[in-house]
Amino acid sequence: MPCLTVRQVASITYPPSWANQSQKSGTVPVEVNGLRMESGTNARLALLGALGGTTLALAAAAWAGRFWLGQITRKTVRNLLTDPYAENLLELLSATRRTSLQTILENSLRAETGQVIKRPLGSPKHYPGLDHLIFDFAQLHRLPTPEDTPVDLSVTLGPTAARPLHLQIPLIVAGMGYGVALSAQARIAIARGAAWAGTASNTGEGAWLPAERREAHHLILQYNRGSWAKDPAILEQADMIEIQLGQGALGGLGHKIPAHLLDDRLRQAFRLPPGESLISHARQPGVHSPADLQTLVNHLREMTAGIPIGVKLAAGHHLEQDLDWALAAGVDVIAIDGGQAATKGGPPIVEDDFGLPTLYALCRAARHLGKVRRSGNGNSVPALSSPSLIVGGGLATPGEYLKCLALGADAVYLGSQPLFALTHTQLLKAVPFEPPTQVVFAAGRFHQQLDVNQAARNLANFLTSSALEMAEGVRALGKHSLRELGTEDLCALDPLTAAITGVDLAYKPSHDHMPRPAATRRQTPNQTGTHPRWQHRPIPVASVSTHPSPPTQRWSS
């Protein structure tokens, strides 16, 4: 019998009268490409033949594929091993080890355009960071917090303001403006997701989006360095205002969006006449001295009936002088961006070669503002009169967020990670031929395909999960609130990190180390008459309380 192909097997049909005939003869007639046969032994043989033919075809295809793959591989390897270096593709191996594949790519883009290139999502450089800090464990010296004990994760920004900003968690979505960075759909999803998680979102320096205000429970309005979104009717709707003086990936660099890249909808949102480019100036208009900044702060505070007024700064080497300007102006909140901060697009020279790393910036700012809640010797450092401190720049994990709070920050700004959470599986709408940001960027090809409700849910899940994980860390420290954290909860794995942060070195005893109890001290032969060894004396059961009192706190909350 001839073998059947897969197509022929698929063409097997059963006549309408098969049921009646099968009842009489026990067989079912079938037709294969017009050939009539009974479905008994003949039909089974036909199916077996078809399967056999298919198996042979697949085996032949696999053999042919393996043969040609082997041929191509052998030829490629032979060329790599025999071609002169000048003709060998492996010359890229040596070139990329001297620099990097990304540097080669960016130099190629410079060669192509002759213009300043704009790199999204910040610098790839690695700075000394939070990885070399570890938390202490509460076990006996300090007892851990019971697993069912609630942990207070709330934070108040601008506590001395007439109308402070109260958040349930200290994780805030950083500024990524509508029109200059993100689409309207992405901004609405951020506002909704942050509200579901009990925190705030920052508008960034984009256009005012009424739908974002309706979705947000707490909205921080960034007072941009341009001319838009500054009407009193808009400012009065904010829960906090942040005067933008710089940002980590750009510093105080001015930038613009050419007129031809702005459609009518965005032009209307920014209130720009036709043909005019969108310009964010290098300086905040009207601010040329500490007195000018103070005038602006007082004006905004009066206009908004006492909501917190803050400033946003990129961290440079003269950070303390910048902070003094802000303190003289009487701001309620100071936000610091470290060098690892990202942006929608910035010159690589600014992203890579300007600004203090986030860890350096946080520690210097906290010390200057008196925001380190407790020092290593347990003394309290009052900070009620100093502004709230928010830090951002390359922070990615709950452990890093918690370390920032222990080092003196009141809250953290998150940008790239919420953006990744926002897209989640929706990035599949862009990849593999476009980057995931095309789903959320204002000019992205797929921004209209973003499912706003799903994106908001993913963002809320990310923020909530991170906060719950931070709560576990607080319990592991034997504490009940973020306000109890301090530098004594940390130690450093290397001298550089210890010098930056002022915390103990992990390979040395802590500053509050107490002498070992006499029962466990090493004894000498003269004292015991036995070979020197650790003498472990059992503690009488009657002397152990079943309800031990908590250890005396050496700090104040």
Side-chain angles (χ1 to χ4, degrees):
M1 180 192 336
C3 292
L4 302 181
T5 65
V6 174
R7 185 183 300 274
Q8 288 173 328
V9 172
S11 67
I12 295 176
T13 60
Y14 295 84
S17 60
W18 72 271
N20 294 332
Q21 184 171 342
S22 63
Q23 292 176 358
K24 298 177 181 179
S25 63
T27 62
V28 179
V30 298
E31 292 183 3
V32 181
N33 284 357
L35 176 65
R36 183 181 177 88
M37 64 179 68
E38 300 298 325
S39 65
T41 303
N42 290 340
R44 285 194 291 271
L45 290 174
L47 290 173
L48 289 174
L51 293 175
T54 303
T55 302
L56 288 174
L58 292 175
W63 180 87
R66 180 171 178 174
F67 172 80
W68 286 111
L69 179 62
Q71 291 288 96
I72 294 171
T73 301
R74 283 189 287 271
K75 181 174 179 59
T76 301
V77 173
R78 183 180 296 108
N79 288 342
L80 291 176
L81 296 178
T82 59
D83 279 356
Y85 230 137
E87 303 173 10
N88 201 312
L89 285 175
L90 282 183
E91 71 174 6
L92 284 174
L93 179 64
S94 176
T96 54
R97 293 186 67 181
R98 295 181 66 247
T99 170
S100 71
L101 187 59
Q102 182 172 1
T103 300
I104 294 173
L105 169 64
E106 291 182 349
N107 283 335
S108 295
L109 295 176
R110 294 181 178 102
E112 174 69 19
T113 65
Q115 303 293 323
V116 174
I117 64 174
K118 301 293 182 66
R119 180 206 294 151
L121 301 182
S123 174
K125 291 180 66 172
H126 294 283
Y127 296 94
L130 295 158
D131 284 347
H132 286 191
L133 288 173
I134 59 172
F135 280 110
D136 191 13
F137 264 129
Q139 295 174 108
L140 294 176
H141 168 68
R142 182 173 59 237
L143 297 177
T145 302
E147 63 281 355
D148 56 351
T149 302
V151 174
D152 184 6
L153 298 177
S154 65
V155 61
T156 298
L157 299 179
T160 60
R163 296 165 55 195
L165 178 56
H166 303 287
L167 305 177
Q168 295 179 26
I169 60 175
L171 310 177
I172 306 173
V173 183
M176 295 175 279
Y178 165 51
V180 297
L182 301 186
S183 66
Q185 293 91 331
R187 287 303 321 170
I188 294 170
I190 287 175
R192 186 180 299 174
W196 286 348
T199 188
S201 57
N202 188 309
T203 64
E205 58 176 349
W208 176 252
L209 189 62
E212 180 180 6
R213 172 65 275 186
R214 290 192 296 269
E215 293 288 346
H217 187 55
H218 303 293
L219 188 64
I220 300 173
L221 190 149
Q222 196 169 87
Y223 194 84
N224 59 78
R225 289 176 282 165
S227 58
W228 55 91
K230 293 184 175 181
D231 295 345
I234 292 176
L235 298 175
E236 291 170 356
Q237 299 182 56
D239 298 298
M240 172 180 146
I241 290 179
E242 180 180 83
I243 303 171
Q244 211 253 28
L245 301 170
Q247 63 184 89
L250 285 175
L253 194 67
H255 53 96
K256 73 175 182 179
I257 300 179
H260 69 275
L261 296 180
L262 297 168
D263 58 26
D264 292 339
R265 178 174 45 85
L266 286 178
R267 190 172 297 283
Q268 182 178 2
F270 285 103
R271 300 184 181 179
L272 288 174
E276 184 174 324
S277 298
L278 183 72
I279 299 176
S280 179
H281 302 288
R283 300 179 180 182
Q284 183 65 239
V287 176
H288 309 288
S289 68
D292 293 335
L293 182 58
Q294 184 177 24
T295 299
L296 177 58
V297 169
N298 292 338
H299 171 68
L300 294 173
R301 183 175 286 130
E302 181 179 355
M303 181 187 303
T304 57
I307 65 173
I309 308 298
V311 293
K312 173 73 172 289
L313 297 165
H317 187 49
H318 290 86
L319 176 61
E320 287 77 9
Q321 288 89 324
D322 290 338
L323 294 175
D324 286 340
W325 270 49
L327 292 172
V331 300
D332 302 298
V333 181
I334 294 177
I336 301 291
D337 253 0
Q340 294 99 306
T343 186
K344 191 262 183 181
I349 187 174
V350 179
E351 293 183 354
D352 293 343
D353 302 298
F354 282 74
L356 293 177
T358 301
L359 178 63
Y360 292 44
L362 168 59
C363 294
R364 286 177 57 175
R367 281 194 291 266
H368 195 68
L369 299 176
K371 294 299 295 183
V372 178
R373 296 178 179 86
R374 292 184 302 278
S375 59
N377 60 10
N379 294 328
S380 296
V381 179
L384 293 178
S385 60
S386 63
S388 299
L389 178 61
I390 307 175
V391 68
L395 304 176
T397 67
E400 292 180 346
Y401 314 152
L402 200 63
K403 290 173 186 177
C404 287
L405 301 182
L407 290 171
D410 295 288
V412 296
Y413 266 144
L414 307 178
S416 297
Q417 303 311 313
L419 207 58
F420 298 149
L422 198 74
T423 55
H424 191 41
T425 55
Q426 294 196 66
L427 60 81
L428 298 175
K429 298 174 181 179
V431 297
F433 302 111
E434 299 290 342
T437 49
Q438 291 294 300
V439 180
V440 292
F441 278 175
R445 294 185 181 181
F446 305 96
H447 75 270
Q448 293 185 343
Q449 298 184 27
L450 182 73
D451 184 325
V452 172
N453 211 48
Q454 179 184 342
R457 187 182 306 111
N458 293 143
L459 175 60
N461 287 344
F462 161 74
L463 293 170
T464 300
S465 173
S466 298
L468 291 174
E469 198 167 332
M470 293 169 66
E472 294 282 42
V474 174
R475 291 189 187 96
L477 288 167
K479 302 189 176 182
H480 304 78
S481 168
L482 294 177
R483 285 175 286 280
E484 295 177 344
L485 298 179
T487 53
E488 77 278 8
D489 295 315
L490 294 164
C491 58
L493 300 180
D494 62 87
L496 175 60
T497 304
I500 295 167
T501 60
V503 305
D504 287 346
L505 275 166
Y507 54 79
K508 292 184 177 181
S510 63
H511 288 158
D512 60 353
H513 173 68
M514 300 297 293
R516 187 179 295 108
T520 59
R521 290 178 186 167
R522 186 183 297 274
Q523 304 295 322
T524 65
N526 292 336
Q527 292 172 316
T528 64
T530 61
H531 190 275
R533 68 183 62 195
W534 292 103
Q535 301 293 325
H536 297 285
R537 302 178 184 177
I539 301 176
V541 175
S543 67
V544 180
S545 171
T546 57
H547 300 285
S549 59
T552 303
Q553 285 188 322
R554 297 188 305 278
W555 56 81
S556 60
S557 300

